[in-house]
Amino acid sequence: MTLTEKDSQYLWHPYTQHKTSQTPIAISRGEGALLWDENNKEYIDAIASWWVNPFGHSNKFIADAIYKQLTTLEHVLFGGFTHEPAIKVAERLMEILPDNQQKIFFSDNGSTAVEVAIKVALQYFFNKGEKRTTIIAFENAFHGDTFAAMAASGISFYTQAFQGMFIDVVRIPVPVKGQEEVSFEALKNVIQNHNCAGFIFEPLVQGAAGMVMYEAEALAKLIGICKEHNVLTIADEVMTGFGKTGKTFAMDYVAENPDMICLSKALTGGTIPMAITTFTQEVFDAFYDDDINKALFHGHTFTANPTGCAAALASIDLLQTNEMQTNIERINKSHLEFQKRIENHSKVVTTRTLGVIFAVEIKSDSEESYYGSMRTKLYNFFIEKGVVLRPVGNIVYILPPYIMTDEQLQKVYKTILEAIEMV
Ligand SMILES: *Cc1c(COP(=O)(O)O)cnc(C)c1O
């Protein structure tokens, strides 16, 4: 049996209807921005394997750091124990996070980072004896697949089986250009009419919605409104973190700081699952008490796994090299040139670029659903051409590893142009 045949016998894949989906491609090797399947066909990974891999596949520098840690201390429980890799990650993050972030809490993935933030927002007010149970989120947000994260997510076909079982979430429009005032007014209304504990948002770019972008000034205004009413703000930087937007964090563009930040994808350079939620001292202090019941009773078996921490430290080292910062600028420049080339194309509705993120919305006769027919046609075309891209409906986006060469990037652009002509 081939790997693909064995796969269909045993495995259940994410976001997959196995009855109608195509068989998965068995990847046997990766290097830099390239992947090879079991038949040695080559693919360019133009979405950094779901946004996790900025420094390339099989990165030697991170692999060495992991090996060294594995042969020193692979893991130790974090309840009642601590270790240098976790402390070093905290120290490094304090240097690069917005100034007001003072405490870090480890977990395993983006959803748990969000789950922790939402639980902290709710318990913060519980601990203070204030009844605040509503979370505010954007329309079409994506914050993950665990229950509170799902509740905060607005992409409804992901969550429809669970409607009625969620914590209380009220949604406001995203302040995209021209809609800023509508968004501000909606936020003020929600705060007036509900007992709001927190506002969670993907800063500047909504990834899963199709790289929907909005301005830093608008976000600063929304955070300002929350601050006036003592509503905690949660920046979900799981996608945007670690250089994707051109700055280390999307919040680096924003004049107001959030109370909490969620980090995961790219934290370990796409090697080991790990996530972090960061907090202000003020948030932490609401749990600091003689009363044990005021503690945050949340934890995961692999909390602060030392091997993951070593991978994170190596990744932050790589991110901060001149070479990587130059790569991010190079890719951004290249995207802007490509954007100019195609923005007036008759089949292009709109284009957007921020940092290494580029998205193009393609004209479609019918209302395109997330996994609709145009999406399938585009996806198959890209795979056939050896380019890994996962369109969202009629939106095609690129989020390349920062080490992608100009030649590889040009091939991705060329393939996207061909796809636009084809559909
Ligand atoms: C991917 C993502 C998550 C969920 O992360 P997982 O590791 O898949 O659980 C949460 N928030 C945002 C913004 C994401 O892009």
Side-chain angles (χ1 to χ4, degrees):
M1 276 202 289
T2 63
L3 286 178
T4 306
E5 283 162 353
K6 285 188 193 171
D7 175 281
S8 67
Q9 185 175 349
Y10 299 116
L11 296 175
W12 194 342
H13 285 259
Y15 310 117
T16 301
Q17 171 49 268
H18 280 272
K19 185 160 184 193
T20 53
S21 69
Q22 294 147 289
T23 49
I25 297 160
I27 296 296
S28 45
R29 200 160 56 85
E31 194 185 321
L34 298 177
L35 295 164
W36 289 271
D37 71 14
E38 59 181 333
N39 304 313
N40 217 27
K41 177 172 171 179
E42 185 179 286
Y43 301 84
I44 299 178
D45 186 354
I47 55 166
S49 281
W50 268 344
W51 324 336
V52 300
N53 191 309
F55 315 118
H57 292 282
S58 311
N59 184 286
K60 182 109 178 32
F61 183 74
I62 304 175
D64 286 344
I66 289 173
Y67 181 79
K68 198 166 160 228
Q69 189 59 47
L70 276 176
T71 48
T72 309
L73 174 68
E74 82 303 336
H75 183 66
V76 64
L77 69 165
F78 210 56
F81 293 87
T82 193
H83 50 77
E84 194 177 20
I87 292 163
K88 276 190 166 162
V89 168
E91 283 176 342
R92 289 302 292 280
L93 284 178
M94 290 305 133
E95 287 166 14
I96 58 177
L97 281 166
D99 302 338
N100 69 337
Q101 300 300 302
Q102 300 287 326
K103 295 284 175 194
I104 87 165
F105 190 95
F106 284 94
S107 63
D108 306 333
N109 58 71
S111 303
T112 55
V114 166
E115 206 76 15
V116 168
I118 290 176
K119 283 176 72 176
V120 164
L122 295 171
Q123 192 181 339
Y124 172 92
F125 289 104
F126 178 86
N127 282 359
K128 288 175 180 272
E130 239 185 281
K131 190 178 157 30
R132 294 208 192 197
T133 52
T134 298
I135 298 293
I136 308 160
F138 278 140
E139 286 166 1
N140 285 320
F142 180 74
H143 296 293
D145 294 335
T146 54
F147 253 80
M150 249 200 308
S153 296
I155 298 171
S156 58
F157 75 86
Y158 277 27
T159 61
Q160 62 189 10
F162 313 103
Q163 290 304 326
M165 301 172 221
F166 289 137
I167 58 163
D168 185 20
V169 172
V170 180
R171 244 166 263 295
I172 62 167
V174 184
V176 290
K177 247 194 193 84
Q179 293 300 303
E180 291 93 340
E181 286 301 327
V182 181
S183 183
F184 303 155
E185 285 313 308
L187 178 63
K188 287 180 198 159
N189 260 324
V190 173
I191 292 176
Q192 209 153 56
N193 295 311
H194 297 78
N195 296 316
C196 295
F199 168 40
I200 185 165
F201 50 86
E202 295 158 272
L204 308 192
V205 190
Q206 291 188 298
M211 303 297 161
V212 170
M213 296 180 188
Y214 62 96
E215 298 292 322
E217 291 70 26
L219 182 55
K221 184 94 190 268
L222 291 170
I223 294 174
I225 294 169
C226 287
K227 289 203 166 146
E228 275 170 38
H229 297 90
N230 196 22
V231 173
L232 295 172
T233 50
I234 305 166
D236 178 355
E237 293 241 18
V238 169
M239 188 283 283
T240 49
F242 303 103
K244 313 268 180 51
T245 63
K247 297 203 184 212
T248 305
F249 300 107
M251 289 310 296
D252 295 342
Y253 288 97
V254 182
E256 296 272 3
N257 286 333
D259 296 295
M260 309 180 215
I261 299 177
C262 305
L263 305 171
S264 182
K265 292 177 179 132
L267 169 63
T268 63
T271 56
I272 291 179
M274 175 165 265
I276 286 173
T277 315
T278 74
F279 305 95
T280 61
Q281 186 68 39
E282 208 265 326
V283 169
F284 178 81
D285 287 346
F287 293 74
Y288 190 79
D289 200 276
D290 290 324
D291 181 358
I292 189 167
N293 291 310
K294 289 198 171 169
L296 177 63
F297 280 103
H298 187 106
H300 297 282
T301 313
F302 280 97
T303 297
N305 171 252
T307 312
C309 289
L313 287 169
S315 297
I316 296 169
D317 280 347
L318 286 177
L319 179 67
Q320 292 183 323
T321 58
N322 279 337
E323 185 195 342
M324 218 51 79
Q325 293 301 316
T326 309
N327 277 334
I328 292 171
E329 281 167 33
R330 170 180 61 86
I331 291 170
N332 176 259
K333 237 192 226 149
S334 178
H335 282 348
L336 290 170
E337 278 164 24
F338 181 57
Q339 180 169 20
K340 247 203 207 111
R341 258 172 65 205
I342 67 163
E343 64 191 353
N344 294 321
H345 192 290
S346 62
K347 281 178 147 174
V348 168
V349 181
T350 183
T351 53
R352 27 184 193 266
T353 302
L354 184 67
V356 303
I357 306 167
F358 170 85
V360 51
E361 227 169 286
I362 302 172
K363 216 165 260 175
S364 155
D365 297 333
S366 55
E367 179 76 14
E368 270 305 315
S369 68
Y370 214 85
Y371 282 103
S373 62
M374 185 192 260
R375 190 260 177 207
T376 308
K377 203 169 163 194
L378 287 167
Y379 179 80
N380 291 342
F381 179 79
F382 294 135
I383 289 296
E384 190 204 303
K385 296 276 175 185
V387 179
V388 179
L389 287 165
R390 282 178 68 95
V392 176
N394 61 326
I395 300 165
V396 176
Y397 69 83
I398 316 172
L399 201 166
Y402 308 158
I403 48 73
M404 184 175 282
T405 65
D406 284 331
E407 196 186 332
Q408 289 163 342
L409 204 48
Q410 290 306 326
K411 177 169 175 195
V412 175
Y413 295 148
K414 181 167 166 274
T415 312
I416 290 176
L417 248 180
E418 285 169 9
I420 293 172
E421 303 282 348
M422 172 211 55
V423 293

